[in-house]
Amino acid sequence: GVEKEMSLRKQSKCDVCDGTGGAPGSKMETCSTCKGQGKVVQMQRTSLGSMQTVVTCADCHGRGERASKKCKHCGGDGVLAKNVNVKVKIPAGIDNGQSIRLEGYGETAPHGGGSGDLYVRAHVKPLKGFTREGYDVYTQAEISYPQAVLGDHIEIETLDGVLKLAVPEGTESGQLIRIKGKGVQHLQRSSRGDHYVKVKIRVPKKLSRDARKKLDELRGEL
């Protein structure tokens, strides 16, 4: 997990009028258009005759009251566009493309409306040498032919740093060795996935005479 800071431009509450849309010191008065109801009745003529519809009052925007004097900073809207910095806590185990919801950090609605939510989509940078599948990670390690036959302990890079890995006798090329609990942490949990090491046997292209002779002697036994 990590904490990141991001900058974005969005509709935010006016700092001068605190989102009311009224100039500092102005009083809130009952809307004369809707008489404080926040709604007005409109008449529409159609081919079937006149129809009544109830709509939100355009003067007070449904609040039933309005400021006696508009805020000059936001023009009476109560909001204006500005740059804000947001700190985002990214949980351990998040995968590429997953989103984090920040409640109340979205755009603010005008005329005293509330704020929506902000959704931050995570883009996870790949780590060289590591492949992720779900909560498991995969790496590759090269060993020599004698190490594969006789077994050995080798050092490998994990998410927690360098670790000694036991290579069992008779390991075959392409075999996966599992390290339990060394993968990616599960979201909302303390448990972790596993780390799988794919073994590749290194075959030398050139051999000394002595090494070739010893391999010839072992040819019949292997």
Side-chain angles (χ1 to χ4, degrees), residues 26 51 60 65 69 100 106 156 158 204 218:
S26 63
M51 293 183 64
C60 67
E65 59 180 9
K69 191 177 180 181
I100 303 163
I156 61 160
T158 71
L218 293 171

Side-chain angles (χ1 to χ4, degrees), residues 31-220:
C31 177
S32 58
T33 304
C34 66
K35 304 297 188 293
Q37 298 300 310
K39 298 176 182 179
V40 293
V41 177
Q42 286 184 344
M43 296 294 294
Q44 280 186 318
R45 290 185 178 180
T46 66
S47 58
L48 300 174
S50 297
M51 293 183 64
Q52 280 189 347
T53 56
V54 179
V55 296
T56 300
C57 177
D59 288 337
C60 67
H61 305 281
R63 290 186 291 178
E65 59 180 9
R66 57 183 179 178
S68 58
K69 191 177 180 181
K70 288 184 179 180
C71 173
K72 292 181 179 179
H73 192 62
C74 63
D77 292 334
V79 296
L80 70 167
K82 59 182 178 180
N83 294 322
V84 294
N85 293 325
V86 180
K87 287 186 177 181
V88 185
K89 288 184 178 180
I90 301 175
I94 196 167
D95 207 348
N96 191 56
Q98 290 182 324
S99 294
I100 303 163
R101 177 192 176 201
L102 300 178
E103 189 175 353
Y105 281 85
E107 292 206 322
T108 303
H111 312 295
S115 297
D117 299 334
L118 173 66
Y119 289 85
V120 181
R121 182 174 293 173
H123 294 278
V124 183
K125 293 181 181 179
L127 182 60
K128 188 177 180 182
F130 287 78
T131 302
R132 177 178 176 177
E133 292 185 14
Y135 294 105
D136 297 329
V137 294
Y138 293 80
T139 59
Q140 187 170 287
E142 272 195 355
I143 61 173
S144 65
Y145 183 71
Q147 285 176 312
V149 175
L150 303 174
D152 201 356
H153 285 82
I154 62 172
E155 288 189 345
I156 61 160
E157 190 73 36
T158 71
L159 297 177
D160 299 319
V162 178
L163 184 73
K164 278 205 169 185
L165 175 69
V167 179
E169 294 182 11
T171 297
E172 297 181 357
S173 189
Q175 184 174 326
L176 291 174
I177 302 176
R178 176 192 178 199
I179 310 174
K180 190 176 180 180
K182 290 296 180 180
V184 179
Q185 184 175 320
H186 292 89
L187 274 171
Q188 313 294 329
R189 291 159 56 190
S190 59
S191 58
R192 295 172 60 174
D194 300 327
H195 183 151
Y196 290 89
V197 180
K198 187 177 182 180
V199 177
K200 182 181 178 183
I201 298 175
R202 183 174 60 252
V203 180
K205 294 182 179 180
K206 293 183 179 180
L207 291 172
S208 64
R209 289 184 179 180
D210 186 47
R212 184 179 294 275
K213 183 179 178 181
K214 289 178 180 178
L215 285 175
D216 283 335
E217 291 173 356
L218 293 171
R219 192 193 298 270

